[in-house]
Amino acid sequence: MATPSAKHATFTSKSIKGVGVEDVPGIGDKSKERLSKEEITKAQQLLGHFLIRNMDKEKCKNFLQKFGMNEKQQTDAFNALNEWAEQHL
């Protein structure tokens, strides 16, 4: 298993209240722009979509794929949201 990135470690270690979606690992400028068109601009909003999908990896990755995210980006975002939920919920 790969070592988590610094972005991942920072994201999972703190509250996401008020944190922008761009701070979620796997979310780059293009993904941020596409998510904002659906009014998803905060990490807590993305977490809501994660929870609505029952934290199911494939359902979450399918949702993220709709925003043009590749396999690695989808996995990075899912892993970060999943770890955050395990630590904070």
Side-chain angles (χ1 to χ4, degrees), residues 11 16 19-28 31-32 34-36 38-55 60-61 63-65 67 69 73-74 76-78 80-82 84:
F11 177 78
I16 61 171
V19 171
V21 73
E22 67 276 7
D23 290 334
V24 177
I27 307 291
S31 300
K32 175 186 171 184
R34 291 176 182 139
L35 286 161
S36 71
E38 297 295 320
E39 299 183 9
I40 302 169
T41 59
K42 301 291 182 192
Q44 60 195 25
Q45 293 170 303
L46 192 57
L47 177 67
H49 286 278
F50 170 79
L51 294 172
I52 287 169
R53 287 162 179 78
N54 294 318
M55 300 168 41
C60 291
K61 288 174 69 174
F63 172 74
L64 295 170
Q65 185 178 26
F67 298 98
M69 295 172 67
Q73 292 167 323
Q74 294 166 33
D76 288 349
F78 173 82
L81 291 166
N82 192 54
W84 189 93

